Amino acid sequence: MTTVSRRESRAGWLFLLPWVVGFLAFTAGPMLFSAWLSLTRYDMLKPPAFVGLENYREALVDEQVRTALWNTLVFTALHVPAQIGPALALAGLLRRAGRTAGFFRTVLYLPVMTPPVALAAMFLLLLNGQHGAINELLGWFGFTGPNWTTDPAWIKPGLVLMSLWTVGSTAVLYLAALTRVPVEQYEAARLDGASPWRQFWHVTLPGISGTVYFTVVVNTIASLQVFTEAYTIFYGARAKQSSDGDAALFYVIHLFREAFESLRMGYASALAWGLFVVIAIITAVQVRLSRRYVHYEGERS
Amino acid sequence: MRRFLVTAVLPLALVAGGCGGVGASGADAPNTLVTMGFGLPDEHATARLAVFRAAEPGVDLRINEGAFDEQQFLSSVAAGDPPDLVYAERRKLGSYAARGAVLGLADCVRRHGVDLGQFRDAALRQVTHRGEVHGLPDFANVRLLIVNNPVVRAAGLDPARLSTADWPGLAELTDRLARLDGDRPTRLGFDPKVPEFLPMWAKANGADLVSDDGLAARLDDPRVVEAVRVTADLVRRQGGWASFKAFRDTFDQFGAGNAYATGQLAVMPMESWYLNTLAANSPDVDVTVAPFTDRAGVPLTESGGQAWAIPKGARHPDLACRFLVTMTAADTWVAAATARRDALARAGKPYGGTFTANRVADERIFREVFDPRGNRVLERAVPQVLALQDKAFAVAPSPAASELVRAWEGGVNRVLTGRQQPEEAMAQAQREAERALKRVGGR
């Protein structure tokens, strides 16, 4: 290494230093501490006591963990496609909007700025089974809407419906991806007599597969960590506590309650690492599948 | 290179030096007093603070407004940086006392000559651990029946004769008063308020959910199971939990269009604070207030409310002691009640009294300050509330209080949502509660 490159390297590290220190202090440090805590019994009021893998053993047989994990996986299975389908449809419409696309893009993204707690409070009213606006709307079409917020069978679909409020963020990403699909490919496909559906399937989807993959991974991770809206609606207020019959007991909610209601920081840390492993496995599967289905621009076929 | 150094290192130096908002807050100055969980919504708060400030002009009092946040409180205690005072539900503080998160107040009350006998037994019981009081009770709520007279009379019943003593009769009463459109209620006949009020229903059937020492749960007691079955059946008769609760969620609880004014509800046990809400928002509503009774017809109620406590590791425990003694003293309450009454009078509203856990304060408030201004709700209800205050019971404080509540509420909800039968649900709740009590050291 020359003197110049050494100096540049040092300068580079110096520039990186604030981030490195921040990462060590606020991310890596707490993670390591959490890993240590997961091996202890700790109620925040007395010093941690080492218990080895006891917390992990308990998590494996904890009925509530099974319920919470099942709820979370079901929610994820419903939520991810529910985000991607409408987002893709909206992006397709936006693409045809011509010069007004900028305006509509902004309008579409604005709901994403709504604070999650406010969103939950609003949807608690909209989703009410008796007089909620959503069921009123269904009533106009002759449907009797379900009790979205009080019937355990409909609580997760209700939360998925609520999550569509923020579909704009995914739609904006798809719009950017759609604009990058070369027009020549569509022209060639049309010349070959491809129907709009075949064009979508063989041109659009491969063209935006990198973005689709990204949104699937990000939405999956977000779904597996679902907390704020469900906690606000079903667990936040004393009057609403556990009125969902555990249908909205998601993994992070269970973790949070174990930590801050039961004061079991060690056990909650073990649950956190359990979720980390689940997310890592699911993401690894997605990465593996991406090699087959995702195409990047400039990539050799 | 020097420029590189300045650019990269300066932000770090600033952060380390506290310019990023980190560092001493001034809370450890000798005359500073920091509270948590106490808000300033009305004169009950502001007038009492004024009394303390007048008594201790040299104290820099810092009220961190907002509801009590368990996470914030525990984190601050764990970090050795707690507030000087915490204001929270007595049930929670009892649990913290049992876990050693708040200080015993024996010395404090002795030094200031506080007569603990002036506090209501149930309220004091909630913050007493191993014979030592760990908090001073503040407000006190009781639970009673609020009956919607026009609705009950229209069903051919006498509101004054309604009682919760006859459990089989409650089902019949509910059927007569409820209105259903298919399986959707358009009026609740009787809302048993479960799972929240399960301790009171169980007590009415002769059972305590938690042992006196707070170290044993009795959630699978057949009398508790019976209470769960009876109350869940009342809900089932009114469309089932999903429809029942969806309808209840539409109530405008704090408005003029509340369930009593609109006839959406016939009878419900409710906390006494709601009477002031009714009186203020729908003064002409025609209700009867009656005690909730056990199965022998003896009035029964559960105590609720907040208390002040001093967290373990508080920087200024002596000053904090002076503060909580002042805040809960009878003279302070009377000053607050007077300020509240005058403020309401200026707005042309009645004053329905202030219900505290301090018996002496209540006697003076309702003798010297109470001013219902002819409001029917208050004139009828207040004597009932006062009569009930000393009949209240409280669930014994337990180090696993939150988990016990979660266990029995979860059990009731599994019954309400049709997932389990009462015996099975409460047996599971008992297992959960026992596990929680066994590992009460927290893991």
Side-chain angles (χ1 to χ4, degrees):
Chain A
M1 199 182 255
T2 64
T3 311
V4 172
S5 61
R6 248 202 315 271
R7 196 182 302 154
E8 281 179 351
S9 171
R10 243 197 331 262
W13 277 108
L14 274 173
F15 274 113
L16 279 175
L17 199 58
W19 179 87
V20 170
V21 170
F23 174 76
L24 291 175
F26 301 115
T27 304
M31 277 178 78
L32 288 171
F33 186 57
S34 153
W36 153 245
L37 276 186
S38 75
L39 304 174
T40 68
R41 175 182 299 157
Y42 180 48
D43 70 352
M44 298 181 82
L45 303 170
K46 292 188 284 292
F50 185 76
V51 292
L53 295 173
E54 185 54 41
N55 290 324
Y56 291 96
R57 263 195 294 273
E58 188 185 336
L60 289 174
V61 296
D62 185 342
E63 210 175 307
Q64 292 273 66
V65 168
R66 277 202 295 273
T67 303
L69 191 58
W70 170 251
N71 285 337
T72 307
L73 291 173
V74 169
F75 176 78
T76 302
L78 293 171
H79 173 253
V80 175
Q83 280 281 309
I84 286 163
L88 206 48
L90 282 168
L93 288 173
L94 273 178
R95 199 178 168 208
R96 288 172 172 75
R99 276 194 290 183
T100 57
F103 168 74
F104 284 113
R105 192 172 53 210
T106 307
V107 167
L108 206 60
Y109 193 80
L110 272 177
V112 180
M113 313 299 280
T114 317
V117 174
L119 179 67
M122 180 177 75
F123 268 88
L124 192 57
L125 299 174
L126 293 176
L127 288 167
N128 181 275
Q130 295 270 331
H131 300 299
I134 287 167
N135 278 3
E136 296 283 340
L137 185 69
L138 289 171
W140 290 348
F141 297 101
F143 297 105
T144 304
N147 287 308
W148 299 98
T149 54
T150 53
D151 183 346
W154 284 98
I155 280 173
K156 280 186 279 289
L159 287 168
V160 170
L161 191 65
M162 181 171 79
S163 72
L164 291 178
W165 182 257
T166 56
V167 78
S169 58
T170 310
V172 167
L173 289 172
Y174 287 162
L175 180 64
L178 285 172
T179 55
R180 286 201 309 271
V181 180
V183 180
E184 301 80 13
Q185 291 186 7
Y186 287 107
E187 286 170 354
R190 272 197 297 273
L191 282 173
D192 288 344
S195 64
W197 173 246
R198 285 179 74 87
Q199 284 177 46
F200 170 78
W201 198 249
H202 294 287
V203 178
T204 308
L205 217 46
I208 64 166
S209 58
T211 307
V212 171
Y213 166 63
F214 169 76
T215 56
V216 166
V217 171
V218 166
N219 274 305
T220 301
I221 292 171
S223 306
L224 291 167
Q225 295 176 339
V226 61
F227 175 78
T228 310
E229 292 88 342
Y231 189 84
T232 304
I233 292 175
F234 298 104
Y235 297 93
R238 171 90 181 87
K240 306 234 182 299
Q241 275 210 337
S242 61
S243 63
D244 61 318
D246 283 352
L249 182 70
F250 294 117
Y251 196 94
V252 179
I253 290 177
H254 181 54
L255 187 160
F256 179 87
R257 292 170 84 196
E258 286 293 333
F260 292 103
E261 287 178 19
S262 304
L263 310 192
R264 303 180 68 209
M265 291 295 156
Y267 185 60
S269 298
L271 291 178
W273 281 96
L275 182 63
F276 178 80
V277 169
V278 169
I279 290 174
I281 290 168
I282 291 173
T283 307
V285 169
Q286 289 171 334
V287 169
R288 193 110 187 121
L289 289 172
S290 75
R291 291 176 193 166
R292 184 181 299 183
Y293 296 110
V294 178
H295 310 277
Y296 292 101
E297 225 177 313
E299 198 180 51
R300 279 189 202 168
S301 50
Chain B
M1 184 63 212
R2 189 180 302 161
R3 245 190 325 209
F4 288 153
L5 274 168
V6 169
T7 316
V9 174
L10 189 61
L12 280 180
L14 289 174
V15 170
C19 297
V22 181
S25 62
D28 41 8
N31 282 337
T32 304
L33 205 52
V34 180
T35 74
M36 181 187 279
F38 188 66
L40 302 171
D42 60 23
E43 297 73 19
H44 285 132
T46 54
R48 287 195 291 156
L49 288 186
V51 170
F52 177 76
R53 284 195 168 110
E56 304 279 353
V59 174
D60 175 13
L61 188 58
R62 300 184 184 183
I63 306 292
N64 285 334
E65 284 199 66
F68 174 72
D69 182 333
E70 229 164 350
Q71 187 179 353
Q72 194 184 3
F73 170 68
L74 291 165
S75 303
S76 71
V77 173
D81 186 28
D84 294 299
L85 288 136
V86 60
Y87 182 77
E89 266 184 58
R90 288 195 288 271
R91 185 178 58 79
K92 282 203 170 100
L93 286 180
S95 168
Y96 293 149
R99 285 177 177 263
V102 294
L103 301 177
L105 297 179
D107 281 350
C108 169
V109 297
R110 195 169 40 247
R111 264 186 290 118
H112 290 273
V114 177
D115 172 20
L116 291 178
Q118 69 189 314
F119 292 103
R120 300 189 187 280
D121 296 345
L124 209 56
R125 172 81 189 87
Q126 288 178 298
V127 287
T128 301
H129 175 62
R130 290 188 180 160
E132 185 180 7
V133 68
H134 282 66
L136 286 190
D138 200 69
F139 286 101
N141 270 300
V142 290
R143 293 164 174 187
L144 29 67
L145 284 184
I146 306 178
V147 181
N148 194 337
N149 292 341
V151 169
V152 172
R153 286 195 194 107
L157 297 164
D158 178 2
R161 293 178 62 83
L162 292 190
S163 159
T164 50
D166 176 16
W167 283 16
L170 279 180
E172 191 192 330
L173 173 75
T174 301
D175 289 346
R176 280 183 74 168
L177 295 173
R179 291 285 174 276
L180 289 166
D181 177 12
D183 66 344
R184 298 194 164 210
T186 55
R187 180 203 296 156
L188 298 186
F190 188 99
D191 181 357
K193 291 283 281 185
V194 283
E196 306 96 293
F197 286 10
L198 179 67
M200 196 162 73
W201 285 100
K203 189 79 172 177
N205 208 21
D208 286 309
L209 298 182
V210 180
S211 65
D212 272 349
D213 61 4
L215 297 178
R218 296 165 180 159
L219 307 187
D220 56 353
D221 183 313
R223 293 167 298 177
V224 176
V225 172
E226 188 184 9
V228 172
R229 181 183 298 106
V230 167
T231 50
D233 181 61
L234 295 180
V235 171
R236 187 189 55 76
R237 287 167 176 276
Q238 299 174 86
W241 179 245
S243 295
F244 179 96
K245 187 164 190 305
F247 180 60
R248 197 171 68 181
D249 284 349
T250 66
F251 291 177
D252 179 16
Q253 199 178 12
F254 298 99
N258 59 71
Y260 286 97
T262 56
Q264 292 172 301
L265 175 66
V267 188
M268 174 176 73
M270 186 61 183
E271 283 107 342
S272 50
W273 58 258
Y274 192 59
L275 295 165
N276 272 320
T277 305
L278 273 182
N281 296 322
S282 48
D284 297 325
V285 75
D286 183 12
V287 295
T288 293
V289 175
F292 184 92
T293 68
D294 66 14
R295 298 186 72 172
V298 178
L300 166 78
T301 191
E302 187 179 1
S303 175
Q306 302 79 13
W308 288 98
I310 304 173
K312 186 179 80 172
R315 289 187 180 85
H316 312 100
D318 293 343
L319 203 52
C321 169
R322 290 211 291 276
F323 179 86
L324 55 77
V325 166
T326 304
M327 290 294 274
T328 56
D331 288 344
T332 311
W333 275 120
V334 173
T338 306
R340 180 70 185 148
R341 180 198 62 193
D342 296 345
L344 287 167
R346 283 192 295 275
K349 290 183 172 176
Y351 167 67
T354 303
F355 297 99
T356 80
N358 185 323
R359 202 179 288 110
V360 177
D362 278 12
E363 282 164 10
R364 285 185 54 194
I365 288 167
F366 287 95
R367 194 174 58 239
E368 302 165 19
V369 191
F370 180 54
D371 183 16
R373 298 175 147 229
N375 184 289
R376 277 195 311 178
V377 177
L378 297 174
E379 285 177 343
R380 291 176 186 177
V382 165
Q384 290 280 7
V385 178
L386 289 172
L388 281 170
Q389 286 280 27
D390 279 326
K391 294 186 174 72
F393 78 96
V395 176
S398 166
S402 290
E403 286 153 297
L404 295 182
V405 172
R406 208 201 299 177
W408 78 60
E409 286 192 349
V412 174
N413 275 297
R414 287 191 296 276
V415 178
L416 288 170
T417 53
R419 285 174 53 201
Q420 285 179 336
Q421 289 302 307
E423 290 85 354
E424 187 191 357
M426 297 320 285
Q428 182 182 326
Q430 176 67 17
R431 286 196 301 274
E432 289 168 5
E434 282 171 2
R435 270 202 304 272
L437 286 160
K438 199 181 293 182
R439 70 192 173 209
V440 96
R443 204 169 54 234

